[in-house]
Structures are given as C-alpha cells and as structure tokens.
Amino acid sequence: MKVKINRNAAKALKKMMDQEEAQGKIFRVYVTSIHGDHAHYDLMLDTPTENDVVVQSDKDIDFIVEKNNEYLDNVWIQFFHVPNEEWLITNPSKGVHHHH
C-alpha cells in the first residue's frame, strides 16, 4: 500500500498533528462510498485496528489505511491554496477522486 502527498498537504497535516487533540493519533485515509467504478475519500484522525496497516507517505507522514482495500493503494492527497483552499484526494491507478 502506498500513500503520496504534495508539499502543501504535508505542511497542513503536520500543523494539524501539532494540535493537542491529535496527540497519539494518525491520519486515516478512507473510502466514504463507492459508486460503480469510482470512490469518494476522506481524512480523519484515528488509531489503527487489526484491519489496518500504517503506511508512511513520501513526505514522512504516517497514514492508516484499511488492509487489502484496492481503492486505497496509491492514494494521492493534495492540498491547494489557489484559487481556493481545498483538499483533493485521488487514486490515479483507479481514475477516481474526491474533493475533501
């Protein structure tokens, strides 16, 4: 399983991890719904369970992902400042995405 994030996302996530409510937790990237050939994704702070694996991103941030969920392998998390601040979570290998 792989998770990739852009520099803006890494900065924003590291800032969130410094907050008190994030202590002892890791970001979970998960599928909120699947519609035919595409999925919708979201992020939340969580702790891993026996059904999960912790994966280190290319920017040294750990993410919890559900084991053996093909929609989560190769997820790409991006944060943009322009034209508006927004999160974009995609899976290029599945051709699916969701604005967070």
Side-chain angles (χ1 to χ4, degrees):
M1 301 289 267
K2 291 182 184 178
V3 175
K4 183 178 168 185
I5 61 177
N6 72 356
R7 278 182 301 176
N8 290 336
K11 287 179 187 177
L13 293 171
K14 285 178 182 178
K15 188 174 181 179
M16 288 181 217
M17 292 301 293
D18 288 339
Q19 297 178 13
E20 189 174 328
E21 61 269 14
Q23 296 306 309
K25 297 194 176 194
I26 302 172
F27 282 102
R28 174 184 295 277
V29 59
Y30 62 99
V31 174
T32 59
S33 62
I34 298 173
H35 302 284
D37 64 346
H38 71 278
H40 296 263
Y41 301 93
D42 209 344
L43 286 171
M44 65 185 251
L45 285 166
D46 203 2
T47 53
T49 70
E50 65 277 356
N51 297 324
D52 300 320
V53 62
V54 176
V55 178
Q56 190 174 74
S57 74
D58 59 326
K59 302 287 188 286
D60 297 325
I61 296 176
D62 290 339
F63 289 90
I64 303 167
V65 294
E66 181 184 359
K67 290 179 187 174
N68 302 319
N69 186 328
E70 65 180 295
Y71 287 97
L72 294 172
D73 192 21
N74 295 312
V75 165
W76 189 17
I77 301 169
Q78 300 173 82
F79 182 69
F80 298 99
H81 293 284
V82 179
N84 300 313
E85 285 192 353
E86 74 175 333
W87 290 91
L88 180 65
I89 304 172
T90 61
N91 187 331
S93 67
K94 295 290 181 192
V96 295
H97 71 275
H98 176 65
H99 294 269
H100 172 77

